[in-house]
Amino acid sequence: MIKVNELKITPQYYPDGTLRLNLPPQGKNAAVEWLFENNEECVTLFFLVNHLKEHGTEKITLYLPYIPNARMDRVKNEDEVFTLKYFAQFINSLGLEKVIVRDAHSNVSLQMIERISSEDIKPKIAALAQKLLTEKDVIFFPDAGSCKRYQKYTDKNVIYGVKERDWKTGKILGLKVEGKVPPSAFNALIVDDISSYGGTFYHAAKKLKTLGAEKIWLYVTHCENSILNGELIKSGLVERIYTTCSIFTAQHPLIEII
């Protein structure tokens, strides 16, 4: 979904499938909000930005909470297409005044996209921890990487997981926990940046339950709609899943947009 100065752009199509777009002049400044849903929106954005410039807009800020292609932040083989690199080149070619993102999945994207700034998500995590947890409770990070990334955002007791995988299939077999686990019953808030099917958090919640967790909540900045097809959503292991509006467009009683 793309909005320009809060005006939602609704693409229409000619019989051959090409885009037809309408956007009145927006003045000297324009704020474009792009909540990524599909790759066709890249073409829509290209058309809209050029249209704005031709009609007198001088400064365009792009608000892009979720960075598409951020998972493909490196290539190892010649047949792999470095999609993040080329996406960044596309965004840079638009000549935007500023690009504002949220909790980038890869720091490589922050290095490749020009005039970029990242929203501070510390207030969201701190507010959830304050709302849900007591002194005896914990914040759990699914791996050492997320622990290093987010630990500075909280003064709560922190523990983290180490995934045990079948390296032939990539399947997660289990999880061991590092850090000081409370000696008696406790509650836990799991924190990470992104979820697809929720497999990592399913195994994390199962492990936390065996360690004495009573209530478990999950926060992910970017929650893909595919989580509705995973084990976590129907497992009964988590009380609630909190996410932002970046890419989750479905509805589910367990999931709350914050």
Side-chain angles (χ1 to χ4, degrees):
M1 180 183 70
I2 297 178
K3 293 181 179 179
V4 179
N5 289 339
E6 298 297 328
L7 175 65
K8 182 179 178 180
I9 304 301
T10 303
Q12 297 178 332
Y13 298 88
Y14 290 102
D16 65 356
T18 53
L19 281 166
R20 177 180 176 179
L21 300 166
N22 294 90
L23 178 64
Q26 297 294 308
K28 297 290 185 182
N29 301 297
V32 179
E33 181 182 18
W34 180 12
L35 303 181
F36 177 79
E37 292 184 84
N38 56 66
N39 281 317
E40 185 186 79
E41 292 170 330
C42 290
V43 179
T44 304
L45 180 69
F46 176 79
F47 290 155
L48 291 172
V49 168
N50 281 280
H51 172 79
L52 286 167
K53 289 181 176 180
E54 284 192 3
H55 289 78
T57 301
E58 298 174 358
K59 295 182 179 181
I60 302 173
T61 296
L62 175 62
Y63 183 55
L64 180 65
Y66 174 76
I67 304 175
N69 305 293
R71 284 192 173 99
M72 193 63 175
D73 61 356
R74 61 181 60 85
V75 293
K76 297 180 181 179
N77 304 301
E78 289 186 351
D79 63 344
E80 294 178 319
V81 180
F82 199 171
T83 51
L84 175 59
K85 176 182 177 181
Y86 303 132
F87 176 78
Q89 289 176 355
F90 161 66
I91 294 296
N92 294 340
S93 74
L94 298 176
L96 302 166
E97 180 75 9
K98 185 187 294 185
V99 180
I100 302 171
V101 300
R102 180 186 303 150
D103 203 7
H105 181 64
S106 169
N107 285 332
V108 176
S109 58
L110 299 178
Q111 297 163 6
M112 287 184 168
I113 298 175
E114 298 168 357
R115 295 176 293 281
I116 193 170
S117 64
S118 187
E119 281 185 343
D120 183 8
I121 63 161
K122 179 178 178 179
K124 296 184 187 299
I125 296 173
L128 274 180
Q130 181 68 27
K131 172 184 175 182
L132 301 173
L133 304 179
T134 65
E135 291 300 318
K136 69 172 184 176
D137 299 328
V138 302
I139 288 185
F140 177 83
F141 300 108
D143 52 46
S146 58
C147 182
K148 182 179 179 181
R149 181 176 188 167
Y150 296 115
Q151 186 173 9
K152 61 182 180 291
Y153 291 174
T154 179
D155 57 0
K156 299 291 184 183
N157 181 28
V158 166
I159 58 178
Y160 67 92
V162 178
K163 297 172 188 173
E164 297 171 332
R165 289 185 182 273
D166 181 334
W167 292 108
K168 290 183 178 180
T169 65
K171 184 177 180 181
I172 301 173
L173 301 176
L175 202 74
K176 64 179 181 179
V177 173
E178 299 288 342
K180 187 178 179 181
V181 178
S184 57
F186 62 94
N187 297 326
L189 172 63
I190 303 173
V191 172
D192 208 354
D193 68 325
I194 191 167
S195 174
S196 293
Y197 290 94
T200 295
F201 310 116
Y202 170 73
H203 287 285
K206 277 180 46 175
K207 184 65 176 181
L208 287 168
K209 286 290 187 181
T210 66
L211 295 174
E214 294 184 330
K215 292 184 178 180
I216 301 172
W217 300 273
L218 169 65
Y219 167 84
V220 286
T221 305
H222 310 293
C223 184
E224 298 180 39
N225 291 338
S226 54
I227 196 171
L228 301 181
N229 300 319
E231 294 178 290
L232 178 67
I233 203 78
K234 56 190 176 185
S235 68
L237 291 169
V238 295
E239 302 292 315
R240 201 155 189 77
I241 299 169
Y242 297 94
T243 189
T244 75
C245 64
S246 60
I247 51 174
F248 187 73
T249 58
Q251 290 186 339
H252 192 279
L254 197 65
I255 299 176
E256 180 177 338
I257 303 293
I258 60 170

